[in-house]
Amino acid sequence: VQTKGDPKKGKELYLNTAVLACASCHKLEGVGGEVGPDLTRVWDTHTTEKILEAIVAPSKEIKEGYQTFRAVTADGRVFTGLRVTDTKDEVVIREANGRDVRIPKDDLEQLSATTMSLMPDNAVSQLTYDQFIDLLAFLKSRQVQESLRGTGAAKKEAAVKDGAKQEPSGDA
């Protein structure tokens, strides 16, 4: 991975939410979503093998706090996601798209933990072998990951200044 992969190309893939959902769900160096675990310092905390396993078989080991819950309302609606809060009055479920769903406890028929990750097993199925190696190289590259620092806040500021109505794309 470190000799064949190109971490800069992997970074482009990671940030391209039209191709992969990595940055939509995971925060890394302050850039990205808040559905999956923060991947900042993953280059230091996980072996290449562990990263590979987490991508290919995400349900094999789910990080504490990121267990998927299934909520069924009294009128039969079903919501699946992370349990963000659970108070005496309501449960908040964060769906895979990042949307928080508030369900009053009076309207909650069932809330149960599942053994499936919100991250799909086929998350990288559309990548070529070389692209997958590039993505892994990026996730193991301290230097290229740290190049993201500060880009999230800077892009949001620029978008506000330009009067943009949408979130920045994350292409660095």
Side-chain angles (χ1 to χ4, degrees), residues 1 4 127-136:
V1 168
K4 286 192 168 210
L127 297 183
T128 66
Y129 175 79
D130 288 338
Q131 288 175 317
F132 187 59
I133 296 301
D134 291 343
L135 179 64
L136 289 173

Side-chain angles (χ1 to χ4, degrees), residues 44-56:
D44 184 41
T45 60
H46 289 67
T47 64
T48 302
E49 294 76 16
K50 193 68 174 169
I51 294 170
L52 175 75
E53 177 183 277
I55 293 171
V56 175

Side-chain angles (χ1 to χ4, degrees), residues 56-71:
V56 175
S59 295
K60 185 173 180 182
E61 184 179 326
I62 298 172
K63 184 174 180 175
E64 187 176 336
Y66 292 91
Q67 186 172 21
T68 302
F69 282 82
R70 182 174 183 267

Side-chain angles (χ1 to χ4, degrees), residues 7-155:
K8 289 182 180 168
K9 286 182 181 176
K11 174 185 171 183
E12 291 173 17
L13 284 168
Y14 180 90
L15 294 173
N16 185 345
T17 56
V19 175
L20 295 172
C22 302
S24 297
C25 295
H26 296 277
K27 190 174 291 297
L28 197 154
E29 294 292 349
V31 176
E34 295 183 9
V35 177
D38 189 327
L39 299 181
T40 301
R41 294 189 58 89
V42 72
W43 52 265
D44 184 41
T45 60
H46 289 67
T47 64
T48 302
E49 294 76 16
K50 193 68 174 169
I51 294 170
L52 175 75
E53 177 183 277
I55 293 171
V56 175
S59 295
K60 185 173 180 182
E61 184 179 326
I62 298 172
K63 184 174 180 175
E64 187 176 336
Y66 292 91
Q67 186 172 21
T68 302
F69 282 82
R70 182 174 183 267
V72 181
T73 62
D75 62 1
R77 292 176 297 147
V78 178
F79 300 97
T80 304
L82 304 179
R83 181 175 60 186
V84 179
T85 59
D86 189 348
T87 68
K88 64 180 180 65
D89 298 322
E90 71 176 1
V91 171
V92 178
I93 299 291
R94 180 166 296 147
E95 296 179 310
N97 62 10
R99 183 176 74 112
D100 286 349
V101 178
R102 298 184 175 285
I103 305 168
K105 282 282 179 88
D106 294 346
D107 193 31
L108 187 63
E109 186 76 25
Q110 180 186 9
L111 180 66
S112 55
T114 74
T115 58
M116 297 298 294
S117 172
L118 269 183
M119 182 173 162
D121 288 334
N122 64 350
V124 293
S125 63
Q126 71 278 27
L127 297 183
T128 66
Y129 175 79
D130 288 338
Q131 288 175 317
F132 187 59
I133 296 301
D134 291 343
L135 179 64
L136 289 173
F138 167 66
L139 293 172
K140 284 302 290 178
S141 173
R142 176 182 184 169
Q143 182 181 5
V144 180
Q145 283 185 32
E146 288 182 349
S147 73
L148 291 172
R149 286 190 182 165
T151 60
K155 286 190 176 194

